Amino acid sequence: MMSDLDASTPRVFLARHGETEWAKIGRYTGTTDIELTPIGVEQVSSTGAHLVGPGRLIDPSRLAHIWVSPRKRAQTTLELLFGSHIDTLRKAEKVTTTEDIAEWNYGEYEGLVESEIREGRKRKGLDVHSAWNIWQDGCECGESAQQVTERLDNLISDIQEIQRPCMDGEKPADVILVAHGHILRAFAKRWLKYSMETPLPMMMSPGAIGVLSYRHRDINDRAFFLGISIPSKE
């Protein structure tokens, strides 16, 4: 049987931006443009040094496309991850900045920590029978779980249009999403065909890389890597 780790099967890399001051203290950061902290810069730079480059896990020559959030923290992360390779990727028109992978729009909850959100909803008489859950309840004056689902499903469709002709390794067709913690976890749920409200505890550190792909080179059998071997650079 063919190994699921065969790198010729197209992959989707998820890259979370590095630490910001708001993320560090748990403030919900959606549309607010905020810079990386010095530690955030180090996180992403270290990830790039270890995982990005010719012969590494994320080989720029194997990338078919990059989608990146418009927010500065994601844009900076893209530049730090790819370093000198980013100019070549841009010239090849392989980089798209899009709201499709922007962070969840938190609406009235922008800049708040979770305890403040819950207290505010309680004062309004909400969540009488169960605690607020963004995956189910969405955000007041922001995005609902259904709205997030729809934009991510559209993006998944675009990705699969690129990868469908390449399932047998006809040519490299890896892609990468450079974005934010909540939206990347939401993307992983939809990649696995789970609804937003399906309980699926996930963690993703600032500056981290996640990997999704397909089992058995089947475009309809989307999966995630529980663990992945790191290629040795020649």
Side-chain angles (χ1 to χ4, degrees):
M1 184 179 71
M2 189 172 295
S3 171
D4 289 331
L5 289 174
D6 189 339
S8 64
T9 303
R11 296 167 293 184
V12 179
F13 295 106
L14 310 180
R16 184 184 176 189
H17 66 73
E19 179 192 81
T20 68
E21 288 294 344
W22 278 19
K24 185 167 63 173
I25 58 177
R27 292 196 181 279
Y28 277 60
T29 319
T31 56
T32 303
D33 242 350
I34 189 168
E35 301 281 0
L36 300 184
T37 64
I39 289 175
V41 170
E42 290 178 10
Q43 290 168 333
V44 177
S45 298
S46 177
T47 296
H50 286 88
L51 300 183
V52 179
R56 298 192 185 278
L57 179 65
I58 303 174
D59 187 331
S61 70
R62 297 185 58 83
L63 285 177
H65 209 77
I66 299 169
W67 283 270
V68 57
S69 163
R71 305 291 90 80
K72 283 191 289 189
R73 55 197 184 276
Q75 294 286 325
T76 301
T77 294
L78 173 68
E79 299 285 340
L80 292 170
L81 273 180
F82 286 96
S84 61
H85 301 288
I86 195 60
D87 288 339
T88 301
L89 291 164
R90 290 193 189 279
K91 287 177 183 176
E93 299 183 342
K94 290 187 175 182
V95 181
T96 297
T97 296
T98 175
E99 291 284 346
D100 288 346
I101 198 60
E103 183 58 293
W104 197 309
N105 186 329
Y106 298 127
E108 292 184 6
Y109 307 153
E110 183 77 9
L112 303 181
V113 298
E114 191 160 315
S115 61
E116 293 171 327
I117 295 170
R118 293 184 186 278
E119 289 168 8
R121 288 176 64 90
K122 185 176 180 180
R123 287 195 297 270
K124 294 177 181 179
L126 302 173
D127 310 325
V128 175
H129 300 294
S130 60
W132 173 70
N133 180 344
I134 190 172
W135 305 105
Q136 178 176 315
D137 304 318
C139 301
E140 293 178 276
C141 298
E143 283 187 297
S144 67
Q146 182 58 37
Q147 287 172 315
V148 171
T149 295
E150 289 171 0
R151 68 175 164 103
L152 292 180
D153 284 357
N154 288 336
L155 180 54
I156 288 172
S157 179
D158 291 342
I159 290 170
Q160 293 204 287
E161 281 300 303
I162 290 174
Q163 296 184 331
R164 183 174 285 106
C166 307
M167 297 305 292
D168 292 318
E170 289 84 349
K171 64 178 181 178
D174 289 341
V175 304
I176 183 167
L177 310 180
V178 183
H180 315 268
H182 242 134
I183 204 66
L184 290 175
R185 285 180 286 150
F187 183 92
K189 280 192 175 185
R190 293 308 300 148
W191 185 261
L192 298 173
K193 303 178 184 178
Y194 292 141
S195 64
M196 286 295 168
E197 61 266 24
T198 300
L200 187 65
M202 292 177 285
M203 299 172 69
M204 192 173 193
S205 301
I209 300 291
V211 190
L212 306 171
S213 188
Y214 307 86
R215 294 194 301 173
H216 316 306
R217 294 188 174 182
D218 183 348
I219 193 74
N220 296 309
D221 196 0
R222 304 195 301 247
F224 73 96
F225 283 106
L226 185 60
I228 188 166
S229 57
I230 304 300
S232 58
K233 188 174 183 294
E234 297 297 334

